Amino acid sequence: MNYSLIATSTFGIEAITSKELKDLGYEDLNVENGRVTFEGDDMDIAICNTWLRTADRVLIKMAEFKAESFEELFQGTLAVDWGSLIPVDGKMHVTGKSIKSTLHSVPDCQSIVKKAVVESMKRTYNTDWFSEEGPVYKIEVAILKDIVTLTIDTTGPGLHKRGYREVAGAAPLKETLAASMALISKWKGDNLLIDPFCGSGTILIEAAMIAKNIAPGLNRSFVCETWPTMEKEVWDQVREGARASINDKDMALLGYDIDSRVIRMARENARKAGVGEYITFQVMDFNDFSTKRNKGFIITNPPYGERIGVEKDIEELYEKLGLDYRRLKNWEFYVLTSYDRFERLFGHKADKNRKLYNGRIQCYYYQYFGEK
């Protein structure tokens, strides 16, 4: 069966997700705020869930229509053949959101959509009662400026849940954002990569997985695997291909953090992710950081006071980072922070910067390319 698919992503990352899809061979992509829409079948659902590093979820778009009244919402939802995908015992869980729309009561919209889905299912299965004891189908009604998009989630727990990080430090960076930072830097594993504020190791682990071509979803399951329409052989084939795609590239990554507890977490996370042998984690205060290597990359998410850190200490860290940049002329620096005076403290205007969101915190990703 062919579907209209949506890969959702955090604001600012859509273009990176789009490039990932192009690299996987997908064309005719429609990039919008927070999502990329494309066409695909069951195999493509398996491929995208397994391989996308920066997307949050893969959704099936069931319908899109305008609704300014509850009746229009009901009729638009009723017109969809939900039974073509949802079995008679499927658990129909409806979530919702509404932005700048006439229908602003999300609970009411969820209730109406659920009623319409059940009515549609009654026509398909010729029954008035559904046990809903079977596989889960999470239906979302998303209304933006009166345009309703109805989707079914194929992913389950978000794609950032790779399976290697059961615990994290005080201000954990999402795996999808860490992967985006690594992809933007274009680090390929040929130079030393250091994260001097590594926390539980997410940036280094994601970078190493990219360089080794380890599919981020290889060691987890997805909700649509429980659906009767999804054949197990499809997933077996995709996972077998992903395992065969892992390369034998050797590389060196270093992670430092002042907290010995999170360094222990980082080592365990890297081991679970299959990249433990490439990353060295050490307990170290950034003020003691130095390197004699002529060339390399620093990709980091230092403290910026939103969650952890004292302002004076943070400013001193940024000044020290800038001094390191002046000394390490052939190194590339990539720094994610929400601190609005970062460039002034660092002492250099970034070659490029990009607005990204760390959770709900608006940040900028400052990129310094060094002397070429």
Side-chain angles (χ1 to χ4, degrees):
M1 186 183 294
N2 279 314
Y3 310 99
S4 177
L5 300 175
I6 299 172
T8 64
S9 66
T10 306
F11 290 111
I13 292 178
E14 303 92 343
I16 307 166
T17 304
S18 175
K19 185 177 186 308
E20 280 198 272
L21 285 163
K22 286 177 184 173
D23 290 345
L24 287 170
Y26 297 97
E27 300 174 345
D28 299 323
L29 306 176
N30 183 25
V31 183
E32 301 172 85
N33 283 340
R35 65 184 191 176
V36 184
T37 305
F38 59 106
E39 299 296 316
D41 56 16
D42 290 347
M43 177 70 77
D44 298 307
I45 289 172
I47 290 169
C48 292
N49 273 304
T50 303
W51 278 102
L52 287 177
R53 300 180 190 278
T54 64
D56 293 326
R57 298 182 175 281
V58 178
L59 310 176
I60 297 173
K61 184 164 80 169
M62 301 297 288
E64 193 166 86
F65 54 89
K66 186 172 183 177
E68 296 177 309
S69 69
F70 289 135
E71 180 62 22
E72 287 175 330
L73 177 61
F74 182 87
Q75 293 299 333
T77 306
L78 181 63
V80 178
D81 183 9
W82 296 95
S84 65
L85 188 60
I86 303 175
V88 68
D89 65 344
K91 181 175 176 57
M92 297 166 276
H93 174 58
V94 181
T95 64
K97 59 185 178 183
S98 177
I99 301 169
K100 298 179 181 177
S101 298
T102 308
L103 301 178
H104 54 80
S105 172
V106 173
D108 286 337
C109 292
Q110 289 172 234
S111 176
I112 286 161
V113 166
K114 178 65 180 282
K115 288 176 184 175
V117 171
V118 170
E119 288 301 316
S120 171
M121 294 278 285
K122 284 179 181 179
R123 294 190 307 206
T124 302
Y125 293 107
N126 195 29
T127 181
D128 289 331
W129 183 79
F130 299 93
S131 69
E132 297 199 49
E133 294 175 347
V136 174
Y137 292 79
K138 190 173 85 172
I139 300 163
E140 182 183 69
V141 49
I143 312 177
L144 175 62
K145 297 178 181 177
D146 296 327
I147 300 299
V148 177
T149 305
L150 297 173
T151 59
I152 295 180
D153 176 31
T154 72
T155 302
L159 289 176
H160 70 283
K161 292 187 178 293
R162 319 289 207 213
Y164 66 74
R165 192 175 79 171
E166 291 180 18
V167 288
L173 191 72
K174 241 185 181 178
E175 293 85 340
T176 44
L177 179 56
S180 301
M181 292 167 65
L183 288 168
I184 290 169
S185 78
K186 295 184 170 58
W187 181 79
K188 305 290 187 188
D190 300 321
N191 295 295
L192 176 65
L193 171 59
I194 297 177
D195 181 356
F197 307 96
C198 71
S200 52
T202 311
I203 291 172
L204 297 174
I205 292 167
E206 291 294 325
M209 289 176 70
I210 291 167
K212 292 287 293 179
N213 203 36
I214 298 173
L218 181 57
N219 295 314
R220 58 159 288 180
S221 60
F222 303 93
V223 70
C224 63
E225 291 183 71
T226 66
W227 299 355
T229 53
M230 297 291 288
E231 296 181 6
K232 181 179 179 294
E233 290 76 13
V234 168
W235 290 91
D236 290 343
Q237 188 176 336
V238 170
R239 289 190 174 110
E240 183 182 344
R243 281 189 283 270
S245 297
I246 300 171
N247 62 48
D248 59 359
K249 189 177 189 70
D250 197 17
M251 55 194 160
L253 304 90
L254 291 173
Y256 303 115
D257 200 279
I258 199 168
D259 187 338
S260 60
R261 184 181 61 89
V262 298
I263 286 294
R264 287 194 297 272
M265 287 182 201
R267 290 183 183 130
E268 179 62 13
N269 292 341
R271 184 192 66 78
K272 285 181 179 175
V275 294
E277 65 186 286
Y278 307 102
I279 311 174
T280 302
F281 292 105
Q282 295 178 4
V283 178
M284 189 177 71
D285 188 322
F286 176 63
N287 290 308
D288 299 326
F289 167 73
S290 66
T291 179
K292 293 181 179 178
R293 295 287 286 268
N294 181 52
K295 192 175 182 183
F297 282 62
I298 285 179
I299 306 176
T300 193
N301 171 225
Y304 33 88
E306 295 280 356
R307 295 174 175 152
I308 56 176
V310 179
E311 187 167 3
K312 182 175 180 294
D313 295 338
I314 289 167
E315 292 189 349
E316 289 175 356
L317 288 178
Y318 291 170
E319 289 170 352
K320 161 84 164 59
L321 200 57
L323 290 172
D324 289 334
Y325 176 69
R326 287 192 284 279
R327 182 171 55 83
L328 303 170
K329 296 184 183 298
N330 295 320
W331 282 63
E332 297 190 29
F333 279 54
Y334 297 85
V335 184
L336 180 73
T337 178
S338 70
Y339 208 75
D340 56 6
R341 294 196 295 137
F342 171 77
E343 284 177 304
R344 193 164 77 184
L345 293 164
F346 189 82
H348 295 270
K349 184 173 175 56
D351 293 311
K352 287 182 74 174
N353 71 61
R354 187 181 195 128
K355 186 192 295 184
L356 296 175
Y357 284 84
N358 184 4
R360 294 182 179 275
I361 303 170
Q362 179 181 300
C363 300
Y364 283 91
Y365 191 37
Y366 298 97
Q367 302 160 57
Y368 297 88
F369 304 142
E371 292 184 6
K372 299 298 182 186

